[in-house]
Amino acid sequence: MTGACTQSPQKEAGNSASQIAAPPSFEVPETPPSSPASRTAVAFSTRYAHFEPAKWTRLPGWDEDDLGDAWKAFQRSCAALRTKSAWAGPCARAIGLNSSKESVHRFFEDEFFLYQIRNTDQTAAGVITGYYEPLLSGSRTYANPNIYPVYGLPDDLLYLDMRKLPPMRRGNLVAARIDGRNVIPVLDAVPGSGGLLTLDIDNFQPDIRDKKLRLRLDGKRIVPYYTRAEIERRGLASARVLAWTDNPTALYSMQIQGSGKIRLDDGKLLRVAYREQNGHPFTPTVTASSGKTKSVRTRGIGGEIVIDDDETSSQDAPILTRGFKLSSTASASPSVHTTNGVAKQQDRSPEVDAVIAALLEGKAGQAVGKAPKKAPAAKPSASLRPASEPVTVRPATGSTAGQIWPAAISSDPSYVFFQEIPDTPDGPIGALGVPLTAGRSVAVDPRTTPLGFPVFLAATESSKSGGLNRLMFAQDTGGAIRGAVRADYFWGFGESARTRASRMKKNGRMWLLLPKGQQIAAVESARRTRSLGGKVAPSQLECVVPDPDLCVEDQE
């Protein structure tokens, strides 16, 4: 979620395009013969991917890719990475470079090793999806129809670095204390004794990028942060409401995209970007379909929710992208059948079916739960109602008016919190902390594709178009972007971006460009093992690059 999935907790408020300056001129360090830059590319593996050296001459579409707009995206990556030793040389040598097509191609071929990213079984096929920056309607104040809150960072959100908790203690009650926003385990004490708190996280899993849990204090217990259903049911008094919107599905779509713009009732545009997430996984439960012109595609059966409708506007039926179609394996499942082109799980509730039907008809704003003028207040027994029933929530402002959220949305436990950013001509701020470039920025799994690094995609945009082969930059992440050959293509803002994001198909291959001076964690680990006379086993390291700013291993 700027994804998004899909986006990073390390990204601070206040980042904007105006703060991203071009790399300054400085001396280019000479490369000694024994440095990593003098090495040849060698195959290596991590826990989640295999990397095979590849030839530029065999890269599909490389010679045809004009790279003019890619150069701007590269400079933005340099703004974030130029202080790192492997990037200092390439970023310095890029300053003042003749930006002709031939010069830029030669630059990348000279400065980077090319690796094809493969799955752990060494197959090359993967999933390439698309996302965009949506436009919503809303207001700074709560009043019908603007009753759905866009929350900022909650004051009570806490963090626990799971690397500070030994594996044998995870899932058990542990004594802990709180220091600012950080939870500190006290491993030699009894939980709850001596003024200490009890860390009660069960099997709650950390974020894959920073290995941190998102938690809260509940009395004398530290527990996982509120789920989406809990937030929507009770409101969130600990977080500032940045704006109120009129469509819960559009708001959910913006959370999936990780950023968006809100046209306020006075005509002004409010731009928001990902600030944090509640720590729960992105797991919506609506099922998928394979309709030709209108479809709902969802992560419930191998993908995320997507509305694909050429005849409706983004205001009427927002597209929930970052997804792909129902797989052939899922479609053969006895628990799934189709009605009017819509795949249906036999145990799916009528309320969820109503949401899907409304989305397909382009009536999301009115059929998925806009509150009436006198909506009921939240029921005290709301937490005991069936999960399939739409959630009625009391606003955090203290108003007694309720909001009705679609069950299909509330069933996803993940929740994204936003921050305001300047509305510039540039794209929103991604997980790398730099503005995204439409058509050249991509969201990735940072464990297999380091943030900021160039990555070449060979994909099919739609069944009616040719190949989409181009150099991209891994400048974002997303909650649904997991796996080796997995990327989410940023299309930009507007109706065209919306349409193209919704049509992005799943077939694709990926190549990673590594600076020739870049240390590779698995290669360095293998060298150390050999120097000690040991046998080199398949790498259990998660990260390609040994840099905690880009990827954190599950060990300190």
Side-chain angles (χ1 to χ4, degrees):
M1 329 182 162
T2 323
C5 198
T6 48
Q7 289 59 35
S8 165
Q10 298 181 12
K11 185 171 48 188
E12 296 297 330
N15 285 334
S16 69
S18 62
Q19 295 173 294
I20 307 301
S25 177
F26 54 87
E27 293 296 324
V28 179
E30 294 186 1
T31 303
S34 60
S35 76
S38 65
R39 302 170 187 163
T40 57
V42 296
F44 66 94
S45 296
T46 65
R47 187 181 302 178
Y48 301 110
H50 177 74
F51 298 83
E52 191 70 29
K55 296 182 180 296
W56 293 99
T57 55
R58 301 188 66 179
L59 194 59
W62 170 245
D63 291 337
E64 290 76 32
D65 190 8
D66 187 347
L67 300 186
D69 48 354
W71 195 240
K72 181 178 181 180
F74 172 73
Q75 291 176 321
R76 287 176 171 171
S77 280
C78 274
L81 301 177
R82 63 175 179 254
T83 58
K84 300 182 182 300
S85 60
W87 280 82
C91 289
R93 287 186 284 271
I95 298 173
L97 180 75
N98 175 4
S99 57
S100 68
K101 178 179 177 181
E102 295 75 15
S103 296
V104 175
H105 276 81
R106 190 181 312 113
F107 172 84
F108 284 108
E109 292 173 7
D110 290 344
E111 298 286 349
F112 293 85
F113 284 132
L114 180 68
Y115 287 88
Q116 183 166 20
I117 306 175
R118 294 178 175 268
N119 301 304
T120 53
D121 61 2
Q122 299 200 23
T123 56
V127 177
I128 312 297
T129 54
Y131 70 116
Y132 75 115
E133 190 176 18
L135 175 64
L136 283 67
S137 296
S139 173
R140 287 284 194 179
T141 58
Y142 176 90
N144 266 327
N146 300 309
I147 61 175
Y148 301 97
V150 179
Y151 286 118
L153 179 69
D155 294 333
D156 60 347
L157 185 66
L158 305 175
Y159 303 96
L160 168 64
D161 187 338
M162 279 293 279
R163 297 175 300 165
K164 299 184 180 299
L165 199 59
M168 68 287 297
R169 301 293 296 274
R170 298 176 185 179
N172 300 320
L173 299 180
V174 175
R177 58 184 178 83
I178 297 175
D179 181 9
R181 282 189 181 267
N182 296 315
V183 175
I184 311 298
V186 183
L187 301 176
D188 58 352
V190 177
S193 65
L196 294 172
L197 304 168
T198 298
L199 181 61
D200 185 3
I201 57 174
D202 196 18
N203 292 316
F204 195 41
Q205 296 299 308
D207 182 271
I208 65 167
R209 182 182 173 192
D210 62 11
K211 297 301 183 291
K212 292 180 180 180
L213 297 178
R214 274 63 180 165
L215 307 171
R216 65 181 176 88
L217 183 62
D218 181 16
K220 293 188 176 182
R221 296 163 57 247
I222 302 173
V223 298
Y225 203 74
Y226 298 111
T227 64
R228 173 180 297 277
E230 291 173 323
I231 292 172
E232 291 172 351
R233 181 177 295 120
R234 308 175 185 182
L236 201 57
S238 61
R240 175 192 168 204
V241 177
L242 305 180
W244 299 89
T245 67
D246 65 351
N247 189 320
T249 309
L251 175 55
Y252 184 51
S253 175
M254 187 171 73
Q255 292 192 344
I256 293 175
Q257 312 305 320
S259 64
K261 298 183 182 183
I262 304 170
R263 188 177 300 282
L264 303 175
D265 47 11
D266 60 3
K268 295 181 180 179
L269 283 180
L270 169 66
R271 197 180 201 185
V272 296
Y274 175 101
R275 179 64 180 89
E276 252 298 356
Q277 195 255 2
N278 66 344
H280 292 271
F282 173 65
T283 52
T285 58
V286 184
T287 56
S289 90
S290 55
K292 294 182 179 179
T293 59
K294 298 181 181 181
S295 64
V296 175
R297 291 171 274 174
T298 171
R299 192 167 183 249
I301 308 179
E304 297 84 43
I305 302 176
V306 178
I307 318 299
D308 186 0
D309 187 345
D310 294 337
E311 300 175 357
T312 58
S313 72
S314 59
Q315 293 297 301
D316 294 332
I319 295 176
L320 309 183
T321 60
R322 298 194 157 191
F324 46 93
K325 289 183 179 179
L326 178 65
S327 67
S328 58
T329 301
S331 63
S333 170
S335 64
V336 180
H337 65 276
T338 61
T339 301
N340 296 326
V342 179
K344 177 179 178 180
Q345 288 179 326
Q346 293 179 356
D347 60 351
R348 194 171 68 203
S349 72
E351 288 82 5
V352 173
D353 286 331
V355 172
I356 295 176
L359 294 173
L360 291 176
E361 294 171 6
K363 300 177 181 178
Q366 60 192 28
V368 297
K370 277 192 177 180
K373 292 184 178 180
K374 293 184 179 180
K379 301 176 182 178
S381 59
S383 61
L384 302 179
R385 286 179 291 149
S388 62
E389 188 175 336
V391 175
T392 303
V393 61
R394 187 188 303 275
T397 59
S399 168
T400 57
Q403 307 156 9
I404 301 176
W405 293 83
I409 293 176
S410 295
S411 62
D412 177 11
S414 68
Y415 200 93
V416 169
F417 308 110
F418 292 96
Q419 61 180 328
E420 295 185 44
I421 62 172
D423 185 22
T424 70
D426 294 311
I429 305 299
L432 185 65
V434 302
L436 302 181
T437 301
R440 292 294 180 177
S441 294
V442 67
V444 297
D445 185 334
R447 298 172 299 183
T448 57
T449 306
L451 280 175
F453 285 50
V455 57
F456 193 86
L457 301 186
T460 301
E461 183 182 351
S462 73
S463 58
K464 296 182 180 180
S465 66
L468 186 66
N469 304 325
R470 62 174 55 191
L471 184 67
M472 307 290 290
F473 291 85
Q475 296 173 336
D476 206 1
T477 60
I481 314 306
R482 299 289 183 267
V485 189
R486 179 71 176 98
D488 209 17
Y489 188 108
F490 179 64
W491 284 104
F493 171 77
E495 188 65 17
S496 175
R498 165 192 178 273
T499 301
R500 301 187 80 173
S502 72
R503 292 175 175 172
M504 197 73 180
K505 293 187 70 174
K506 68 178 180 180
N507 302 318
R509 292 173 291 162
M510 295 172 60
W511 288 259
L512 175 65
L513 281 64
L514 288 177
K516 290 186 175 179
Q518 178 66 64
Q519 288 190 337
I520 300 170
V523 174
E524 295 303 313
S525 177
R527 286 194 176 119
R528 287 194 299 270
T529 302
R530 289 193 188 97
S531 68
L532 296 175
K535 184 178 179 180
V536 178
S539 177
Q540 290 303 304
L541 296 175
E542 291 186 3
C543 304
V544 174
V545 173
D547 187 333
D549 291 339
L550 305 176
C551 179
V552 178
E553 294 284 355
D554 191 12
Q555 55 185 344
E556 286 195 288

